[in-house]
Amino acid sequence: MKILASTCIMVLMVSINLTAQCTDINTKEIASYLNKKVKPRLDIKLDRTDGFLAINGTRQNLDLKDLKISPVSRTWTYYFEDVRRIDSNFWYDSKKNSFILDVKFDNNGIELKGICGGCIKMSRDRRAPDIEWRGPQILRFTLKPITFQRSVSFEVREVKMIGRLEGNGLARVIPKLTNDVNRLVNDEMIRVFTTDVTKRLFNDAIRPLLKSKNTVSANSVSLASTTLRVCK
């Protein structure tokens, strides 16, 4: 009976292996492909009215919400104003077992504009201190490979704002202000970059590499050590 059971298990395992055709792709090859083929055609703009993410010419508009802070008796509103990507880099983080996308932005003065909506009209602009994003001005995206519409994509699991936020005027005596703005920015980036539209853009971006490995279709995907395993 034990021999029969063991034989059945072995037959089942062989059957599963024959059914699930898997391909291993080295993480260094994936990072190299992303930097060579995707990076040159990746663009991000953080802006209240014209924010977007574009990959390979396909654009996703970013509906960035205003950030509301109440460090004093009034509520202050903050929003991004014409903050553009100047460089980016993909790499694999073995500690997080995830791919990382670092996007560096320009330094053109005020990045986060402050408005005091409850103040009288003449002081709305100057009452809420504007905030500058000091170097290195990087948004770090943690990307986890996932199956998406029977193929492979990346899901944004975490976004971290790297650099120092520095405000003028009242912000210098209210250190909690820049900390709160930093937290709200991270939360907002997670909200706008975890949509199916973003996943579709990443799927389109990595599809040529998958096609070269004859593994565009995928029922499961796993990332471990130095390889991404894609199984049909």
Side-chain angles (χ1 to χ4, degrees):
M1 190 68 180
K2 289 182 178 179
I3 296 175
L4 179 61
S6 299
T7 302
C8 290
I9 292 173
M10 290 179 64
V11 171
L12 180 61
M13 291 177 67
V14 171
S15 176
I16 290 173
N17 287 333
L18 289 174
T19 302
Q21 300 175 10
C22 300
T23 301
D24 291 339
I25 310 175
N26 188 277
T27 53
K28 289 184 178 179
E29 182 180 359
I30 295 172
S32 176
Y33 166 82
L34 292 172
N35 281 316
K36 185 177 180 180
K37 299 295 185 180
V38 179
K39 171 183 173 177
R41 301 190 65 196
L42 183 149
D43 195 11
I44 296 180
K45 180 181 180 181
L46 304 178
D47 188 80
R48 188 187 204 182
T49 59
D50 188 36
F52 64 83
L53 162 67
I55 300 179
N56 292 342
T58 302
R59 170 171 165 154
Q60 171 193 355
N61 292 327
L62 301 179
D63 180 22
L64 293 170
K65 292 182 178 179
D66 291 344
L67 310 176
K68 303 288 186 178
I69 304 289
S70 300
V72 290
S73 58
R74 303 285 187 184
T75 296
W76 294 344
T77 297
Y78 284 91
Y79 57 87
F80 282 103
E81 191 171 64
D82 194 24
V83 182
R84 294 298 299 265
R85 167 214 175 262
I86 58 173
D87 197 10
S88 54
N89 183 53
F90 290 92
W91 54 284
Y92 172 68
D93 186 338
S94 58
K95 292 182 179 179
K96 288 189 173 184
N97 193 33
S98 300
F99 286 95
I100 304 296
L101 167 60
D102 282 342
V103 181
K104 183 173 178 58
F105 292 86
D106 58 12
N107 186 355
N108 60 354
I110 301 301
E111 284 82 22
L112 285 155
K113 184 69 179 174
I115 296 291
C116 178
C119 297
I120 60 174
K121 190 172 183 179
M122 62 170 36
S123 63
R124 285 176 185 173
D125 187 35
R126 68 173 183 267
R127 183 64 61 87
D130 295 333
I131 295 177
E132 292 186 48
W133 184 7
R134 300 295 190 183
Q137 289 184 289
I138 289 174
L139 279 184
R140 174 163 292 172
F141 296 83
T142 299
L143 307 174
K144 203 74 174 178
I146 60 168
T147 55
F148 178 73
Q149 296 181 349
R150 298 292 300 272
S151 187
V152 179
S153 183
F154 293 104
E155 181 177 62
V156 177
R157 294 289 179 87
E158 181 184 357
V159 182
K160 184 178 180 180
M161 192 177 197
I162 299 176
R164 181 168 53 90
L165 295 182
E166 184 179 283
N168 299 315
L170 287 175
R172 294 179 178 175
V173 295
I174 311 176
K176 184 176 180 293
L177 171 65
T178 51
N179 291 335
D180 286 347
V181 169
N182 187 299
R183 175 179 53 80
L184 289 176
V185 167
N186 291 338
D187 291 345
E188 180 64 1
M189 293 301 103
I190 280 287
R191 184 187 71 82
V192 297
F193 287 110
T194 53
T195 65
D196 281 350
V197 178
T198 304
K199 294 171 188 175
R200 189 172 298 111
L201 287 178
F202 278 121
N203 172 241
D204 291 342
I206 200 172
R207 184 176 289 270
L209 175 62
L210 299 173
K211 191 174 181 180
S212 71
K213 304 293 183 180
N214 193 29
T215 184
V216 172
S217 299
N219 289 316
S220 69
V221 60
S222 59
L223 185 61
S225 186
T226 60
T227 58
L228 173 70
R229 172 159 289 185
V230 181
C231 297
K232 297 181 180 180

